[in-house]
Amino acid sequence: MLSLDQVRRSLESAGQSHVLQFWSELCEEDRDSFLQELSQLDLKGLKDHCEGAARAAASPSASLDQHLDPLPPEFIGSVRRSDRSCLSAWEDEGLLQISQNRVGVLLLAGGQGTRLGVQYPKGMYNVGLPSGKTLYQIQAERIHKIQELAEVKHGSQCTVPWYIMTSEFTLAPTETFFKENKHFGLEPSNIIMFEQRMIPAVTFDGKVILQGKGKIAMAPDGNGGLYQALVDNKVLEDMKKRGLEYLHVYCVDNILVKMADPVFIGFCVSKGADCGAKVVEKACPAEPVGVVCRVQGVTQVVEYSEIRPETAELRGPGGELVYSAGNICNHFFTRAFLQDVAEKFEGRLRQHVAIKKVSFVDSQGNQVTPTKPNGIKMEKFVFDVFPFSRNFVAFEVEREDEFSPLKNADGAATDTPTVARNSLLAQHCRWATAAGAKLLDQHGNPLPPTASVPAGDSPPAQCEISPLVSYFGEGLELLLRGMRLTTPFILDEKLAKEMQAQ
């Protein structure tokens, strides 16, 4: 740990001496804790961080229109447009790789559920499904099932390790939650949790924000902090020891995510890709999502704020949007590529500005909760490594089947618990109907088949199918064909076994 004099000199040279303005008011214990926190900061880089944040926040987003090109069709696979035999071959390849213990999944779970109105990690959130399952439980059960599918197909036991990147805010509650739930039946040694770095929040004039008299306001360094965290926590070494070659990386809040999706894995492996992204077709030109495309011949995600409306509205000969590949934070990486990024490219990742409300103490030491944004949090994004890929591919999936993010509390226009819950229930209704079941209301009257459900609308039936029973709708015909199911209907593992025994 650094001495107080060393820290004071470093803060002064960075133009941040105000950080110690309340030192004399702190008790001995708080001083020790604060000095420990300050010693762990990158004090040498603090001046550049603060000045860079202020500069970046003051600079408007540049338009990239004149440099844009869509991804070439030969680098894109699609659930809708690719040949059925290709999809089947890719699935076989993915299951083979999983069966050989060469595939892991990595969850980006550094954020709290603040926008949801809760102070705990999003993965612990219960969206109100009939089963009461949380996002973490749903994801754990999908890992169980994909291991089982690979084992059945290839006759050998296999493991899909689950790496979970947390932050200072989410590590302890996530560890406790998993222990309390007995790791959802997964082997604890195959769940590897680690922390990303935290960096100071900064005012618009480039000053570190004090959250308390003896505490700096810190924030995770964005999901692009993954690459530094892989090195800090020796995760790449762990992957190498386990013989993993491929990693599926995704965000915690997507209730429809397909863990270690064998079709996606197989597509990327078959194409020899070192880096890949799942995309969905943009709902409309103005949808506020980043677009996977090329900028001066280099693949990257371009934020919606960097594309002018007239460019976003461009359409091809069939009426489709030219820039339609919406990024959903669902990626494939080879271990070799991640090693390259860690060793050669991490320092070249872009910094992005997030303007936030940050609680602080004012110059009189009063605690203030701001009513409007007052601070800058600098973030790196996981997709900012795309330009370093030698062979990038994209895989287009159906939004209604694979993307329904949970971001906002109910009452917001989109991405709420109600929307997420209804997206999953509607999907399971489609699976049951496709398997030959008839869905009935409480009075025994047939309900119409469920097509896609507009955001916020409730599906006509409530049907929930456990991931332990079916990963993506497979295997349900034997259980449900000809059945008349009164909703709400929950098909869990116990009921499935009883139905098989009949």
Side-chain angles (χ1 to χ4, degrees):
M1 189 164 77
L2 299 177
S3 70
L4 177 60
D5 282 343
Q6 287 173 309
V7 168
R8 197 188 299 276
R9 283 197 299 272
S10 295
L11 289 171
E12 284 172 0
S13 67
Q16 306 293 328
S17 52
H18 69 286
V19 167
L20 293 173
Q21 64 185 302
F22 301 110
W23 183 262
S24 62
E25 300 178 32
L26 300 178
C27 67
E28 200 63 40
E29 185 181 347
D30 288 345
R31 286 181 177 183
D32 288 344
S33 174
F34 196 24
L35 196 57
Q36 177 79 34
E37 179 186 3
L38 293 170
S39 296
Q40 290 171 350
L41 280 182
D42 176 13
L43 291 168
K44 288 182 181 173
L46 189 59
K47 187 172 191 290
D48 288 344
H49 169 68
C50 294
E51 291 177 354
R55 266 196 317 273
S59 304
S61 293
S63 169
L64 298 174
D65 294 56
Q66 65 271 34
H67 306 299
L68 293 187
D69 287 300
L71 287 178
E74 62 268 27
F75 296 106
I76 304 174
S78 172
V79 165
R80 280 186 301 163
R81 288 187 275 268
S82 295
D83 184 84
R84 293 288 114 192
S85 62
C86 286
L87 292 171
S88 180
W90 294 333
E91 182 176 35
D92 288 347
E93 178 64 33
L95 287 171
L96 176 64
Q97 297 296 336
I98 292 167
S99 76
Q100 294 176 342
N101 299 302
R102 291 160 66 85
V103 178
V105 292
L106 191 148
L107 165 59
L108 302 169
Q112 291 171 292
T114 313
R115 281 163 62 185
L116 281 169
V118 298
Q119 294 304 311
Y120 52 79
K122 273 191 194 177
M124 293 163 54
Y125 195 85
N126 173 355
V127 301
L129 290 169
S131 67
K133 289 178 182 177
T134 60
L135 296 179
Y136 279 145
Q137 182 171 353
I138 292 166
Q139 291 170 23
E141 292 181 355
R142 286 185 186 141
I143 291 175
H144 269 292
K145 190 61 180 178
I146 198 62
Q147 288 177 167
E148 181 188 303
L149 291 175
E151 287 169 4
V152 168
K153 186 168 181 66
H154 293 283
S156 58
Q157 270 204 312
C158 62
T159 298
V160 176
W162 196 6
Y163 297 92
I164 301 177
M165 185 176 79
T166 64
S167 67
E168 177 185 292
F169 304 129
T170 61
L171 179 60
T174 300
E175 286 179 331
T176 301
F177 190 70
F178 271 71
K179 283 174 187 165
E180 289 173 350
N181 287 278
K182 298 182 171 53
H183 297 88
F184 305 103
L186 293 170
E187 171 57 48
S189 64
N190 294 324
I191 301 174
I192 303 95
M193 297 186 196
F194 60 99
E195 268 188 75
Q196 65 186 113
R197 287 187 177 182
M198 305 286 286
I199 52 177
V202 179
T203 62
F204 296 125
D205 57 354
K207 297 295 182 184
V208 167
I209 296 176
L210 280 176
Q211 179 181 315
K213 291 182 178 181
K215 183 154 185 64
I216 287 177
M218 302 288 282
D221 55 354
N223 55 30
L226 167 67
Y227 307 106
Q228 185 62 54
L230 291 177
V231 175
D232 291 346
N233 299 282
K234 298 184 167 49
V235 175
L236 290 171
E237 290 177 26
D238 185 82
M239 287 179 63
K240 187 174 183 180
K241 277 183 201 161
R242 292 171 184 266
L244 297 183
E245 297 297 334
Y246 310 113
L247 199 63
H248 175 212
V249 177
Y250 69 98
C251 261
V252 68
D253 58 14
N254 180 10
I255 197 169
L256 300 180
V257 64
K258 293 175 72 175
M259 320 284 293
D261 174 12
V263 181
F264 180 44
I265 299 290
F267 168 70
C268 293
V269 172
S270 298
K271 295 290 183 182
D274 55 4
C275 178
K278 276 192 180 182
V279 297
V280 296
E281 185 175 1
K282 283 182 68 174
C284 64
E287 184 181 10
V289 296
V291 174
V292 182
C293 57
R294 287 189 166 179
V295 179
Q296 295 181 318
V298 177
T299 303
Q300 68 179 69
V301 174
V302 175
E303 290 301 299
Y304 59 93
S305 58
E306 297 171 322
I307 304 178
R308 288 185 308 215
E310 54 267 38
T311 302
E313 289 164 10
L314 289 174
R315 294 187 181 270
E320 73 285 353
L321 289 173
V322 171
Y323 297 102
S324 66
N327 180 49
I328 61 172
C329 196
N330 197 313
H331 307 310
F332 165 93
F333 300 114
T334 64
R335 180 173 56 80
F337 176 70
L338 291 173
Q339 195 74 50
D340 262 2
V341 169
E343 292 173 1
K344 303 174 191 172
F345 304 125
E346 200 282 331
R348 289 166 53 187
L349 292 181
R350 286 173 63 192
Q351 293 272 7
H352 300 264
V353 173
I355 306 298
K356 302 280 188 179
K357 296 177 193 171
V358 183
S359 296
F360 66 99
V361 288
D362 63 19
S363 55
Q364 279 73 51
N366 302 310
Q367 197 71 43
V368 180
T369 302
T371 55
K372 60 182 182 180
N374 65 310
I376 308 161
K377 294 182 179 180
M378 298 301 287
E379 302 175 325
K380 294 176 181 177
F381 293 158
V382 68
F383 54 71
D384 284 334
V385 297
F386 291 0
F388 308 123
S389 168
R390 294 185 184 88
N391 189 9
F392 178 90
V393 295
F395 191 70
E396 185 193 38
V397 296
E398 296 278 18
R399 184 188 296 252
E400 67 179 27
D401 277 330
E402 298 207 35
F403 185 55
S404 183
L406 177 64
K407 296 188 181 297
N408 306 310
D410 276 325
T414 59
D415 302 341
T416 63
T418 295
V419 173
R421 177 177 68 251
N422 289 341
S423 296
L424 189 70
L425 294 175
Q427 180 188 60
H428 291 185
C429 286
R430 292 194 297 274
W431 290 358
T433 303
K438 283 203 178 344
L439 297 169
L440 312 175
D441 66 18
Q442 296 152 312
H443 309 293
N445 301 313
L447 289 163
T450 308
S452 60
V453 176
D457 288 3
S458 296
Q462 282 212 339
C463 174
E464 185 183 353
I465 298 169
S466 168
L468 296 173
V469 175
S470 184
Y471 175 79
F472 199 66
E474 80 294 327
L476 295 176
E477 298 87 348
L478 293 173
L479 298 172
L480 300 181
R481 181 164 297 284
M483 297 287 289
R484 294 163 66 81
L485 309 175
T486 303
T487 70
F489 173 74
I490 302 177
L491 180 57
D492 59 17
E493 205 177 15
K494 182 182 176 191
L495 179 58
K497 284 177 180 172
E498 289 172 2
M499 293 170 80
Q500 284 172 330
Q502 288 173 2

